[in-house]
Structure formats: C-alpha cells, structure tokens
Amino acid sequence: MSHVEQDDHSNNLNAESSDFSQIVEKGLSRRRFLQASAATSTIAFFTASPLANAMARPPKTQSLLGFDPIAASTADTVIVPRGYQAQSFIAWGDAIHPSAAAFSQTNSSADQENQFGDNNDGMTFLLLDRNRAVLAVNNESTSYSTLFEDSGNTLTAEKVRRSQAAVGVSIVELQRAHRGDWQVNVNGRLNRRITAYTEMELTGPAAGDDKLKTHADPSGTQVLGTFNNCANGSTPWGTYLTCEENFNGFFGSQNKIDVPDEDARYGINSGDGWFNWHQFDDRFDIEKEPNENHRHGWVVEIDPMNPQSKPKKRTALGRFKHENAALTINKNGRVVVYLGDDERGEHLYKFVSKGKYNEHKPEKNRDLLDEGTLYVAKFDAKDGEMHGDGEWIELTFGQNGLTPENGFNNQADVLIFARQAATQVGATTMDRPEWVAINPKSDQVFCTLTNNKYRGVREGQEINAANPRENNIYGHIIRWEPKNGNHASSKFFWDIYVMAGNPELYSNDDPRSGSTNITADNMFNSPDGIGFDNAGRLWIQTDGNYSNSGDFAGMGNNQMLCGDPNTGEIKRFLSGPTGCEITGLTFSPDNRTLFVGIQHPTGDFSAIDGIPRSTVIKITREDGGVIGA
Ligand code: FEO
Ligand code: CA
Ligand code: CA
Ligand code: CA
C-alpha cells in the first residue's frame, strides 16, 4: 500500500502537534514496541500522523471530563464519583409482565419467559415521548452455576428450555413520574422476551442458501432464536440491532465426529460443550443438523415497537462472532455499519448499504440492511510507525480472489464464511475487535482491541503496526478517520488512542507500561464496551483480569472510565462489584441518566437467596446534571 498519497489532511502535516500528541508521544513510539535497532530514528507517535493533525487545532476548550475520578477498588459494590448515585434498575429474574413468578433457582422456562433475562450486555434506550421510553437489552448468556441448584450437573429437556429462555433479548417499557426518575413499567404493552426459540427470519443475500437449510426448515429462511447476544446497535428508523457472538459454544454432538474445517474456523466442536443443549434439542447436535450453526452468528434487527414482529437476521452484514454494530448515516445517505469480530486474530468489518436512508418515509428504511457491500479492514503503516493509512477491501463474490478456485461459489458463501473471505483478501489480523463507536462530534471511529495473548506468539498472529504489542495482555483502542469524512470511502487514516498497561510495574521504555495517557490513577486492562455521549466523551468499559495482582496490580475490579478524545485524558468513573464485567451502556437523550450493565457478578451483588444476579444499574447526578460534565 502506498504511503505517497497525500490528501486534504496533508496541509496539516507540519502543524504543531495536538495536546493529545504531546501527551502520548513520549511513550508511544512503535520503536519501543518493536525494540527496533538503534539505527531507526525515534518516531514521535502522533506528531506526524495525518489523523492526529486533522484534530491538531481544536479550539482550546477545557477538559470534557468534569467529575472527580474514583480510585481502583476491589470492593463488592458499585462505586461512582462524588455527586453521583447508582441504583439497581432491573436484574435477571425481575418481572417484565404482571403475571411473572418471583425469581428463584427453581423457576420454570415459562416463568423465565416473563422475567428479565440473564447476563445483560449491550442495550439501547429509545425515547417514545417525554415520559415514556423503551429499554432493549441483550441477555448474552447464562451461567449454570447460578441458573440451577445443581449447577447443571444433570440436565433435562426442561432445564435446557429454561436455559434457552434465559438468553436472547429483553424489551421493557419505562416511564417516569418526574425528571430523570425512569422506572420499569411491568405493565408495558411493548414488554417482550426474545429467546433462543423465538421465530425469526433469515433475510438478505444468503437467505435460502443450501448451507442454511435444515430438516425443520427446508427453505433456509426460517430460524428459531438468537443467543450469545453480546453487544448491540440501533437505527435512526427505530429498530434495535442485537449481535450474535460466541454461538459456537451452544452446539455439540452426542457422538464425536470430524467437524468440517469451515465450521472449525468458527470454533464449532463435537462432543459436549458449554451448555450441552444438543443433549435434549437435536437442533444443536452438529451431527444431526450440520447446518443449524450457520443460522447463527448474524446481526439481528428487531422492531421493539411491534411485539408481534419477527426479528430478522441480516445476512448482508456477514457471519462471524459479532460484538456490536456501530451505525451511522453517511453524508451521501447510505447506512454504514462498523462491525468487530471478537476472536484473537480475527478482523474488523464495515457494511455500506446500497439504498439511502429516507428521513421522511420510515417504511422505506425497513430493509436497508439487506442490500449493500461488506468490507474488511487492512491497516498499513510506514516502518516503525503506529499510525498510517488503511483500506477497506470489498468482500464480493468474484472479486479479490473470492472465486470458485478459492472455495467461494456465490455471495452466500462469502457471507456465511466471512472469516475465510477476510483471510482470502489479506485483511489485518486484530487483537480481538470488540465494540466500535463513532464520535458524534467528529468523523472518528474508535474500536477496542481487548487483548491477545497470542500476538507475536502464534503463527498467523505476527505483530503488525495496528497490533504492535507482543503478548498483548492489556489491550488497546485504535481509531480511524475515513478519507474526506466519507464513511463509504475505501480509504482511512488511523492511529492508536490508548495502549492500556501498568506504568507502576513497568518502566517508560517497556511497552507494558502503556501509552503516556495511562497513569497509576487510571490503569485498566481489556477495554471492551465503548460508547460516546452527545458531547463526544468516550465511555470505556472493561472485561478483564480483576485479580488486582501480578501484571494487573493496582487495577482493581472491572470498571468504567471516561476519555476525552481531543486531549487523550482518561479518568476512572465507576468500579464494579466482585467478579463482574462492566458491559452495556446507554443514555437517555438528555444524557442525565446513564444505564450500565453489571454482568455475571460472583459476590453478593443483587443477590436473592445468595444467588448474585446480573443487573442493569441506573446512574444519575444528585444535582440532576449531565453525566460526566
Ligand atoms: Fe461478548 Fe466480545 O464480548
Ligand atoms: Ca464484550
Ligand atoms: Ca470481552
Ligand atoms: Ca460477557
């Protein structure tokens, strides 16, 4: 890839460096990461970066971060800054219909269908009118250790059914009596559970393909359920996007069989697995239903306004272990969706719709996600630099080697086996792409690369400019800016916003110390959930090592931080209870209420009868002000 091209950013190349670059340049030369020879000149990271310089001269404003940061903590509770309050909002097993049974480990699958699901993750707040809203929440998974009294040591068909009812999506109506005081409305007409057996439709270019047909569905278009719903997205036409991640863990087989290579790439295994649904539900036995697993690993679009609507699995967005779906309407009206595939050495994708968003005729937008082009990212840089340009490579049958000679016979093959297509076209292997977030105040896009212990260690996961740290146990956040601010462009510029690390343990010249915007006061590892608020504050959630010891000493429990994308400053905002990850965030439109997910706590958090429960918490300011300001 050529680095000669200079575009409209080039006139900034000699501009004085930004505040941000001054903060990080000391600590972030790729030379330090690669331990290059003394002959390599020291690279001042960011100083010569077109991206950094594009943001080099923002008006001098005060920091976006107006709260007093909190210290790291190992306490089994939620801690927020002075002047803020956090309350439990809704938890696994709470009623979402008036007839729901009270939470108990002995609840039935039918009981669970009327209760909030387990392991809440990504979520979206949708305002209906001044005092009425909908909260759509993913229920990523369930934990047999808390779901069943016997930890699932013995399974039955009903226990499998209950496990299937505990996952998927929960949609709940909210109402408020007065400002900021949002509450769940158990009687809400829109309240709905979507489970691993809800009827759905496969749509888009792969729908009806032979590889999606099963005994129960010879059409290859009708599928039951969604599960491992990790993170999310939403559309301006009022729908919710739920993203299917580690679907492989729900499949297995009674007999040990050879798993086809194409499925092994997605982690499908024979024999027993995480949940053993196959023991009582043939659909999940890969020997009996070898194609069922191809019907999962998609982005699913749900209309929360119509409780009878069939969710649609949008195959045009590709099949992989989807983290979230960051959607924007491009300047030319096309819908652009950025998508991460959370696995070590997998890839980062982008979908661009064929049709254009129609603000005035909502019905015209209904199937925009069915037709368009999928791309995968390739990051380039000059030798010794940790910023550069990049290219979106098209994943279209017949192009870029996606041909029958290489095993792709049509577009359905390209989409169902998007990972193989990405490899075929030479996409960059990444350190586990988790959430993507688009800054509403700029054209910049951020993606968490949570960690990758195999980087530089395993074959096929060689160090590259965008993933520069060997044995990357702390993770980093990469960002890019599309050429000319056009998200449909195939070109972009990129750099790294933060390298997490432990500057207390490791000296400045050790890559494990992280970038210089990491200090003893804001250390964290494994960034995962991210999102922007209206003011352009970047909220960062962690799903990492909470031992508070060894390499992770001083980091405490999983947490939520807030970053200023202009200055690089990062402050810790929240510390979670024991054993949890912090995942899922959504604001009320006025940004005065923030909902945050506490997933799989292991202590006493939200406990009933000693069973800790995943919980959505609600955060407000005591003075009713804007969160983070
Ligand atoms: Fe469900 Fe990649 O986190
Ligand atoms: Ca995650
Ligand atoms: Ca994670
Ligand atoms: Ca999780």
Side-chain angles (χ1 to χ4, degrees):
M1 150 80 50
S2 154
H3 299 273
V4 181
E5 182 188 50
Q6 300 285 326
D7 77 344
D8 57 333
H9 293 277
S10 63
N11 56 353
N12 281 329
L13 275 174
N14 295 315
E16 50 193 281
S17 57
S18 66
D19 293 346
F20 188 14
S21 70
Q22 284 160 6
I23 289 170
V24 297
E25 73 181 67
K26 311 202 280 281
L28 256 185
S29 72
R30 190 175 170 214
R31 178 182 179 212
R32 190 172 62 114
F33 282 78
L34 298 179
Q35 329 248 282
S37 76
T40 313
S41 62
T42 302
I43 307 295
F45 184 57
F46 277 109
T47 307
S49 155
L51 179 54
N53 281 289
M55 42 185 280
R57 280 170 289 184
K60 264 267 184 212
T61 50
Q62 65 188 102
S63 165
L64 282 174
L65 315 183
F67 60 91
D68 297 332
I70 62 157
S73 171
T74 56
D76 187 20
T77 189
V78 172
I79 300 170
V80 289
R82 195 163 50 84
Y84 285 80
Q85 53 207 1
Q87 299 161 268
S88 286
F89 190 68
I90 190 166
W92 170 43
D94 284 355
I96 66 158
H97 292 293
S99 61
F103 170 82
S104 149
Q105 271 188 320
T106 58
N107 284 151
S108 67
S109 57
D111 293 335
Q112 177 67 76
E113 288 173 12
N114 291 316
Q115 297 167 333
F116 193 72
D118 200 358
N119 278 311
N120 50 271
D121 206 306
M123 55 185 156
T124 295
F125 180 102
L126 216 91
L127 191 70
L128 301 182
D129 62 39
R130 209 176 127 70
N131 293 313
R132 197 167 155 246
V134 162
L135 191 66
V137 187
N138 287 349
N139 298 113
E140 184 178 32
S141 185
T142 185
S143 313
Y144 283 1
S145 60
T146 47
L147 185 66
F148 300 125
E149 286 178 299
D150 71 348
S151 296
N153 291 332
T154 58
L155 285 180
T156 62
E158 163 58 17
K159 281 165 113 176
V160 166
R161 181 92 172 166
R162 179 155 164 250
S163 164
Q164 293 175 340
V167 303
V169 176
S170 299
I171 296 170
V172 289
E173 271 193 53
L174 314 184
Q175 61 190 9
R176 64 176 173 180
H178 53 85
R179 194 180 66 154
D181 189 21
W182 290 103
Q183 303 294 342
V184 172
N185 175 8
V186 176
N187 298 304
R189 187 179 62 79
L190 303 178
N191 293 1
R192 180 183 188 187
R193 279 300 320 282
I194 289 165
T195 70
Y197 46 85
T198 300
E199 287 183 16
M200 329 203 147
E201 201 179 332
L202 284 152
T203 69
D209 186 76
D210 284 348
K211 288 218 154 78
L212 299 179
K213 293 176 179 167
T214 63
H215 289 102
D217 173 32
S219 77
T221 61
Q222 304 301 311
V223 56
L224 292 182
T226 185
F227 43 89
N228 219 104
N229 305 80
C230 186
N232 64 312
S234 60
T235 69
W237 53 93
T239 58
Y240 180 69
L241 302 174
T242 183
C243 304
E244 299 177 339
E245 192 191 25
N246 296 301
F247 61 91
N248 58 307
F250 295 78
F251 290 86
S253 59
Q254 297 280 5
N255 303 310
K256 273 279 184 187
I257 60 164
D258 286 335
V259 176
D261 286 349
E262 62 189 21
D263 297 335
R265 172 73 184 263
Y266 285 79
I268 296 290
N269 278 308
S270 80
D272 283 347
W274 303 348
F275 294 95
N276 296 329
W277 288 355
H278 66 275
Q279 292 178 3
F280 293 92
D281 189 343
D282 285 353
R283 192 153 75 89
F284 296 94
D285 188 316
I286 60 167
E287 185 182 24
K288 294 171 180 158
E289 284 295 355
N291 284 342
E292 181 67 24
N293 79 87
H294 303 150
R295 295 146 63 87
H296 305 276
W298 303 103
V299 172
V300 188
E301 186 169 6
I302 298 170
D303 179 2
M305 295 306 133
N306 178 0
Q308 271 71 53
S309 60
K310 252 192 188 180
K312 292 179 176 174
K313 298 199 177 195
R314 301 296 190 185
T315 65
L317 277 61
R319 176 175 162 269
F320 38 92
K321 294 187 183 178
H322 280 282
E323 186 72 21
N324 82 333
L327 184 147
T328 188
I329 304 300
N330 195 36
K331 285 164 186 158
N332 62 4
R334 298 193 201 284
V335 182
V336 176
V337 192
Y338 292 102
L339 306 153
D341 181 356
D342 180 8
E343 187 115 60
R344 298 180 189 100
E346 289 296 338
H347 306 290
L348 182 67
Y349 297 80
K350 177 181 83 168
F351 169 82
V352 181
S353 71
K354 180 161 184 266
K356 293 183 177 180
Y357 174 63
N358 189 325
E359 203 179 341
H360 307 291
K361 295 187 179 146
E363 69 280 4
K364 295 257 183 212
N365 302 316
R366 220 167 26 213
D367 294 318
L368 276 177
L369 300 183
D370 271 347
E371 213 180 338
T373 307
L374 189 65
Y375 300 83
V376 67
K378 185 165 183 280
F379 291 81
D380 286 293
K382 290 181 192 158
D383 261 3
E385 292 186 348
M386 282 168 32
H387 58 85
D389 53 18
E391 187 188 355
W392 292 105
I393 309 174
E394 193 170 333
L395 298 179
T396 297
F397 172 66
Q399 295 186 34
N400 300 322
L402 301 173
T403 56
E405 303 84 79
N406 294 317
F408 301 93
N409 292 308
N410 49 43
Q411 186 62 15
D413 280 349
V414 171
L415 295 170
I416 297 170
F417 302 109
R419 285 182 163 185
Q420 287 93 325
T423 298
Q424 179 65 44
V425 305
T428 302
T429 67
M430 308 297 287
D431 287 349
R432 297 184 55 194
E434 299 246 32
W435 294 47
V436 180
I438 304 165
N439 188 344
K441 294 289 192 190
S442 73
D443 295 315
Q444 292 179 0
V445 190
F446 290 61
C447 176
T448 43
L449 299 166
T450 196
N451 57 52
N452 183 0
K453 64 187 177 191
Y454 298 153
R455 178 62 62 191
V457 176
R458 281 210 177 163
E459 201 188 326
Q461 306 214 23
E462 287 73 23
I463 284 171
N464 59 54
N467 301 270
R469 186 162 55 184
E470 184 178 308
N471 182 23
N472 183 12
I473 57 172
Y474 297 118
H476 58 292
I477 300 179
I478 198 165
R479 65 177 170 180
W480 62 92
E481 187 170 287
K483 186 176 176 182
N484 300 329
N486 172 16
H487 289 281
S489 169
S490 63
K491 306 275 188 214
F492 61 91
F493 307 96
W494 67 271
D495 66 11
I496 290 173
Y497 174 68
V498 63
M499 300 282 314
N502 194 325
E504 289 291 275
L505 277 186
Y506 297 108
S507 63
N508 224 3
D509 59 355
D510 186 313
R512 291 170 291 184
S513 65
S515 48
T516 48
N517 49 349
I518 292 297
T519 68
D521 295 327
N522 69 4
M523 290 188 288
F524 64 92
N525 73 88
S526 306
D528 188 339
I530 49 171
F532 281 96
D533 61 22
N534 298 342
R537 279 178 284 267
L538 176 65
W539 296 85
I540 306 165
Q541 304 179 317
T542 72
D543 168 23
N545 186 307
Y546 49 85
S547 64
N548 200 40
S549 63
D551 280 326
F552 308 98
M555 296 181 178
N557 289 348
N558 276 308
Q559 56 191 279
M560 182 160 168
L561 307 104
C562 189
D564 184 329
N566 305 315
T567 64
E569 179 186 23
I570 295 173
K571 285 183 180 177
R572 186 181 296 111
F573 179 82
L574 176 151
S575 175
T578 306
C580 78
E581 71 178 78
I582 306 295
T583 186
L585 71 154
T586 187
F587 287 90
S588 59
D590 62 9
N591 284 195
R592 291 169 197 272
T593 306
L594 165 62
F595 299 89
V596 170
I598 306 294
Q599 194 190 57
H600 58 72
T602 57
D604 289 326
F605 190 73
S606 273
I608 291 181
D609 298 334
I611 310 301
R613 296 181 304 150
S614 292
T615 303
V616 175
I617 60 170
K618 177 176 84 171
I619 297 170
T620 50
R621 259 169 68 165
E622 284 161 9
D623 66 1
V626 170
I627 308 292

